[in-house]
Amino acid sequence: MIRKVNNLVKKSVVIIKDDGAVRFVKRAAKYAYYNKFPDKKQQVYKDILFINGCTLPHPERYRVAHQMEQLMSQGLTVESVFYDRLSLDQLKYYRGFVFFRCPITDTIREFIKQAHYFNKTCFFDIDDLVIDQKYTDSIKYVQQMSVDDKQLYDDGVNRMRETLELCDHVVTTTAQLQEELQHYTKGEVLINRNVASDEMIKLSNLALKAVSKDRDKVVIGYFSGSITHNEDFDLVIPSLIKIFEKYPQVYLKIAGILDVPDALDPYKERLITSGFVDWRELPAVMAECDIVLAPLVDTIFNRAKSENKWVEAALVKIPTIASNIGAFAEKIQNNETGILVNNTDAEWFKALDLLVSDSVLRGKLADKAHEEIIHNYSTVYTGYNLASFVRKHLARNIGFVLPSTDISGGVIVALKHADVLRRHGWDVTLIDAVSKHALKIAKKTYSYRYELPGFNVVATHKTKMKAFFDTQVATLWSTVELVKKQPNVRNRLYFVQNFETDFYIPGTGEPRFLANASYCDQSGIRYITMSLWCQKWLKDVFHKESEYVSNGIDLELYPYRERDFTGKIKILIEGDSKSEYKNTDEAFRIVERLDPDKFEISYLSYRKEPKDWYRVDRFYNRIAPEKVGEVYASCDILIKTSIVESFSYPPLEMMATGGVSVVVPNGGNVEYLKDDYNCLFYCQGDIDAGVAAVEKLLNDKKLRDKIIKNGQKTAQAYQWSRLEQRIVDIYK
């Protein structure tokens, strides 16, 4: 709790510095409001979320803010959050996650686990070897910690390593870090060096214009980012003392966190000290110097450090003398963009003596370094490698745009496709296009399904889409325009599951016209379907090519039950009572003619209530998909009277459980139904024939056994497992 309060205070101070007190108050009020009413908040679906686990301002700036700038400059959308504010709900609003210096927590562990389930990539970012005690134990400052402080520090290091090992790939700053980190991951490790932000360049340019130096002085600068640099500064003390003795015009500016050694006391009148300098003020402070020192003790920990001091000095045209190790050795061109020295007193004194005495050389080195940094060390110019690395390792993502998450045959099939693709490595999002008006109506009658277990669901009325999608799929005519309006989508598909024009009777008006227009797209939408009937009319009527994959069935959800067809026979009727094309009234006209003492009537509807005149003994409404098979298994005969269907599931589901069906043939069910083989057909409108078919199934055991046997064969042939690869291929 204390840690959270401290972190909150630190973040508040940063916001006040960045945006001012008024902006801070507004942000705090907004946070409090959305914390109390989370459903009111407008969400944004973006590409990458940075999770920052570091309380130090400069690492967070370089590794979170600056890398966000790099990705934004390359067209990726990004956001950041402090690690103790991370929630599992954020999983569904991003394609990938970058964990910067995040120690493991229960939330992070579960977050990464779920991210892997949903094929969302987790990157770990680190700019120091604070991931194993074998590295940190070599730091002199750490060695001098108290037992309790060391135990707390080591716990953070070990927790950092656990997060690293759970992530898929790693981003780091130097070659030494890359080499060491490769031992902790099976993924790829990218070097993405610390670079300057646009704001840093702007502030540095302003500092260059504003600086006014005393030409009678030579100011040597040392800028320490943390207390751990005491040992490094000790390297240059003997050389500095000699320089002080030789050049009375030399002054030393020390900024940051450092214990000034007693050896410099004789020169305290020539020491300029300040505390830790905010990064916005750093260019102006650094620009007052003539030389910047960057000494590092040669340890594996220091060889992994970044070249930040050289970058920051070069931005304000100050030459750097640096230890010839690690990133300095890799990136500074000796005597061109800086001076590299081996860590001996003689070499440090020689380099200092050279630059103190030669102002022309100082200017030459500074100009050359400045040119290098401006062209090769800015966020805008250097983002390509990071963006390419991120894009390469993100899973292909697909959004299925649903008219709603309410249970329906079309939604269930779309969910099956979504689940197959997830299991084959896709990052799948369900985009719920339900309107606010429809939700208000729904709330009056039932509890709307905002979430679907095992899926990421986002609602269009609550979410702005800013991320890239490899593919989006419309699943009903009303969702086609939504897919077409999304600008950042590579492939647009329309999954046609019925002739939706006929969902509306002539005279309905615009919905009927727009449904028909969805088959006439001229913008490049690709059509796919699960019905040979749909494929045929798309080609014959609308001249649209389409790819076909049949619907299937999960037999484990539809358990077989042996029936003896004695006692009271259970009839099942399925379909929306208000839908013209479902023709449900006709099924109830048939059961009106059946003896109530011999037949029990069950009615299954996903939406509408039974009409007053329906004869219903058992009513099943809004049954969860995984429970529907139990309803079918509890009944003996299905009466299915739909006029328009693309692929009729109920007869297939009934035959899977061992029941039999009386069916009106239509374009969508004749794909797998055969009269007198796995069902009995009767002509639509012929009530007498429908009644006769029910009686025939009840009285002719030989026929009934044949239909049950062949129904089982049909159900076996339509298992989803046999269709899975075709589903994957159709989306490729």
Side-chain angles (χ1 to χ4, degrees):
M1 182 64 184
I2 294 174
R3 182 185 294 177
K4 285 188 175 183
V5 171
N6 287 336
N7 288 337
L8 185 60
V9 170
K10 289 178 181 178
K11 300 295 282 189
S12 300
V13 170
V14 170
I15 293 170
I16 291 170
K17 282 185 177 180
D18 284 349
D19 303 328
V22 174
R23 178 66 177 155
F24 168 73
V25 171
K26 288 181 178 179
R27 287 182 64 172
K30 185 182 288 187
Y31 169 75
Y33 176 78
Y34 287 131
N35 195 46
K36 187 174 182 180
F37 305 106
D39 289 342
K40 301 287 186 182
K41 187 174 183 179
Q42 179 81 12
Q43 300 290 347
V44 182
Y45 186 94
K46 295 185 177 182
D47 292 303
I48 300 295
L49 176 66
F50 281 79
I51 301 101
N52 172 39
C54 184
T55 57
L56 298 173
H58 47 289
E60 175 191 5
R61 182 165 52 86
Y62 271 108
R63 302 312 295 170
V64 178
H66 291 195
Q67 291 196 110
M68 288 173 68
E69 269 189 32
Q70 287 180 306
L71 294 182
M72 284 189 286
S73 298
Q74 295 293 319
L76 288 159
T77 52
V78 294
E79 191 54 79
S80 67
V81 66
F82 197 65
Y83 81 107
D84 64 359
R85 295 282 308 282
L86 185 67
S87 69
L88 295 179
D89 188 60
Q90 289 169 299
L91 262 169
K92 62 185 179 182
Y93 293 109
Y94 301 90
R95 300 173 59 205
F97 306 93
V98 180
F99 292 85
F100 171 60
R101 284 203 188 196
C102 286
I104 199 69
T105 65
D106 290 341
T107 298
I108 288 176
R109 188 181 291 108
E110 181 62 24
F111 191 98
I112 295 174
K113 178 182 176 182
Q114 290 196 27
H116 288 155
Y117 173 84
F118 290 116
N119 303 311
K120 293 178 181 289
T121 309
C122 294
F123 303 90
F124 189 81
D125 188 279
I126 191 77
D127 59 349
D128 244 336
L129 280 173
V130 287
I131 44 91
D132 198 317
Q133 287 177 238
K134 74 178 185 180
Y135 304 119
T136 55
D137 284 348
S138 68
I139 304 171
K140 187 175 180 180
Y141 176 76
V142 174
Q143 293 168 358
Q144 295 171 346
M145 286 180 173
S146 68
V147 174
D148 289 344
D149 287 348
K150 176 72 161 56
Q151 186 176 5
L152 184 63
Y153 181 85
D154 289 344
D155 177 64
V157 168
N158 294 326
R159 288 168 59 209
M160 197 96 67
R161 182 177 66 254
E162 185 174 347
T163 306
L164 159 64
E165 291 173 339
L166 288 175
C167 288
D168 305 296
H169 303 283
V170 182
V171 182
T172 192
T173 50
T174 66
Q176 186 69 62
L177 267 170
Q178 182 188 48
E179 181 181 340
E180 299 304 317
L181 289 166
Q182 197 64 70
H183 300 305
Y184 297 86
T185 178
K186 294 179 181 178
E188 191 175 348
V189 182
L190 173 76
I191 298 176
N192 187 48
R193 295 187 178 277
N194 283 341
V195 294
S197 66
D198 256 21
E199 186 70 10
M200 281 178 66
I201 295 172
K202 170 191 169 184
L203 293 172
S204 297
N205 290 339
L206 291 174
L208 280 171
K209 292 178 180 178
V211 69
S212 178
K213 295 182 180 180
D214 185 344
R215 294 303 171 187
D216 294 329
K217 294 181 179 179
V218 176
V219 180
I220 298 170
Y222 182 76
F223 297 82
S224 175
S226 71
I227 193 65
T228 61
H229 289 295
N230 283 341
E231 185 180 12
D232 299 318
F233 186 68
D234 288 345
L235 287 171
V236 298
I237 292 174
S239 301
L240 283 171
I241 290 173
K242 291 179 183 178
I243 292 295
F244 276 135
E245 292 293 332
K246 184 174 181 179
Y247 298 102
Q249 75 272 31
V250 168
Y251 287 74
L252 176 65
K253 174 179 284 190
I254 298 174
I257 307 168
L258 186 76
D259 294 330
V260 180
D262 294 339
L264 295 179
D265 279 350
Y267 314 99
K268 59 185 178 183
E269 299 300 325
R270 292 155 70 184
L271 297 183
I272 307 165
T273 60
S274 66
F276 190 82
V277 180
D278 183 80
W279 70 272
R280 298 165 192 79
E281 301 166 5
L282 182 62
V285 174
M286 192 173 274
E288 295 171 349
C289 299
D290 298 284
I291 302 166
V292 165
L293 302 181
L296 284 176
V297 174
D298 191 0
T299 66
I300 191 170
F301 195 87
N302 282 343
R303 289 196 297 274
K305 286 187 173 295
S306 299
E307 60 274 31
N308 295 359
K309 287 188 178 70
W310 171 62
V311 172
E312 291 163 350
L315 284 172
V316 288
K317 294 189 177 182
I318 307 299
T320 299
I321 305 174
S323 292
N324 188 21
I325 70 168
F328 291 135
E330 294 168 32
K331 303 309 293 184
I332 295 176
Q333 293 176 279
N334 193 27
N335 297 319
E336 292 287 334
T337 58
I339 294 181
L340 295 171
V341 299
N342 296 316
N343 286 331
T344 65
D345 291 346
E347 287 208 20
W348 274 107
F349 176 76
K350 180 181 177 181
L352 279 165
D353 188 42
L354 179 64
L355 289 192
V356 168
S357 63
D358 192 339
S359 61
V360 174
L361 179 59
R362 293 200 302 266
K364 180 182 175 182
L365 293 175
D367 287 342
K368 194 80 173 177
H370 183 265
E371 183 181 353
E372 170 70 13
I373 297 305
I374 291 300
H375 287 96
N376 298 314
Y377 271 82
S378 77
T379 53
V380 175
Y381 296 155
T382 59
Y384 178 79
N385 286 340
L386 176 62
S388 296
F389 181 79
V390 167
R391 286 183 169 119
K392 179 175 77 170
H393 290 298
L394 291 177
R396 289 183 70 182
N397 65 327
I398 187 168
F400 284 86
V401 185
L402 308 176
S404 83
T405 56
D406 271 340
I407 301 170
S408 70
V411 168
I412 290 171
V413 173
L415 294 185
K416 187 62 187 181
H417 282 216
D419 185 57
V420 167
L421 292 178
R422 181 197 60 77
R423 287 188 281 107
H424 281 261
W426 287 66
D427 170 9
V428 179
T429 300
L430 304 181
I431 303 171
D432 184 2
V434 67
S435 67
K436 291 183 179 180
H437 176 69
L439 280 176
K440 287 180 180 179
I441 295 173
K443 286 179 180 178
K444 296 177 181 178
T445 55
Y446 67 96
S447 179
Y448 186 77
R449 298 195 309 169
Y450 290 97
E451 302 291 339
L452 294 172
F455 294 99
N456 285 319
V457 184
V458 300
T460 55
H461 69 277
K462 292 173 62 177
T463 310
K464 291 182 180 179
M465 294 294 182
K466 292 191 175 181
F468 169 81
F469 273 91
D470 179 273
T471 305
Q472 281 195 6
V473 186
T475 58
L476 189 78
W477 72 265
S478 59
T479 65
V480 172
E481 284 302 313
L482 291 173
V483 170
K484 290 166 69 173
K485 287 178 181 177
Q486 294 296 327
N488 207 8
V489 178
R490 178 183 287 134
N491 304 301
R492 294 174 174 83
L493 279 63
Y494 180 14
F495 185 17
V496 178
Q497 300 191 66
N498 215 323
F499 185 56
E500 292 162 7
T501 305
D502 283 355
F503 284 9
Y504 309 94
I505 60 173
T508 301
E510 189 175 71
R512 182 169 161 86
F513 305 148
L514 293 179
N516 205 70
S518 69
Y519 311 122
C520 311
D521 175 73
Q522 302 299 307
S523 68
I525 278 185
R526 183 161 63 89
Y527 292 86
I528 61 175
T529 186
M530 28 52 74
S531 163
L532 291 173
W533 171 67
C534 288
Q535 188 179 49
K536 186 176 187 305
W537 58 254
L538 278 169
K539 175 67 173 176
D540 294 346
V541 179
F542 298 97
H543 306 283
K544 294 293 183 183
E545 298 292 339
S546 62
E547 293 192 66
Y548 161 78
V549 57
S550 172
N551 275 350
I553 188 169
D554 284 316
L555 292 183
E556 61 271 20
L557 296 179
Y558 294 87
Y560 178 82
R561 181 180 70 84
E562 194 78 37
R563 279 85 161 174
D564 59 14
F565 287 86
T566 60
K568 207 167 190 178
I569 303 303
K570 295 180 175 61
I571 301 285
L572 176 63
I573 297 172
E574 185 275 344
D576 188 335
S577 61
K578 297 291 179 68
S579 172
E580 293 286 336
Y581 72 92
K582 289 291 186 181
N583 192 31
T584 307
D585 287 0
E586 185 166 309
F588 279 99
R589 294 298 181 195
I590 291 173
V591 299
E592 275 186 329
R593 305 268 295 276
L594 298 176
D595 187 346
D597 292 331
K598 294 182 179 180
F599 296 93
E600 178 184 291
I601 311 304
S602 294
Y603 177 40
L604 173 62
S605 173
Y606 295 116
R607 295 186 182 180
K608 302 301 181 181
E609 299 287 320
K611 294 180 180 179
D612 292 341
W613 62 270
Y614 285 3
R615 172 185 149 199
V616 177
D617 298 302
R618 293 177 183 270
F619 177 48
Y620 299 99
N621 185 230
R622 299 185 181 280
I623 300 295
E626 62 273 14
K627 297 291 184 181
V628 170
E630 297 174 11
V631 176
Y632 279 87
S634 70
C635 298
D636 304 308
I637 300 173
L638 169 73
I639 301 177
K640 186 61 180 170
T641 51
S642 294
I643 302 167
V644 178
E645 285 184 303
S646 55
F647 185 97
S648 182
Y649 258 112
L652 185 63
E653 292 163 341
M654 179 55 84
M655 62 178 64
T657 67
V660 291
S661 301
V662 173
V663 184
V664 170
N666 59 50
N669 62 29
V670 294
E671 182 175 324
Y672 72 90
L673 291 178
K674 295 180 182 178
D675 186 33
D676 207 39
Y677 174 79
N678 56 12
C679 73
L680 288 184
F681 281 152
Y682 82 95
C683 291
Q684 185 232 331
D686 191 344
I687 305 300
D688 290 338
V691 173
V694 173
E695 297 286 359
K696 187 176 183 181
L697 285 173
L698 184 59
N699 297 323
D700 191 336
K701 184 178 184 304
K702 184 177 180 181
L703 171 65
R704 189 172 67 238
D705 289 345
K706 180 182 76 170
I707 287 175
I708 291 172
K709 180 180 178 181
N710 292 332
Q712 284 287 292
K713 289 180 181 179
T714 303
Q716 290 288 334
Y718 276 82
Q719 291 184 78
W720 278 119
S721 58
R722 298 187 178 189
L723 303 166
E724 196 162 296
Q725 189 56 51
R726 174 59 183 157
I727 292 172
V728 174
D729 291 343
I730 213 170
Y731 288 98
K732 285 182 180 178

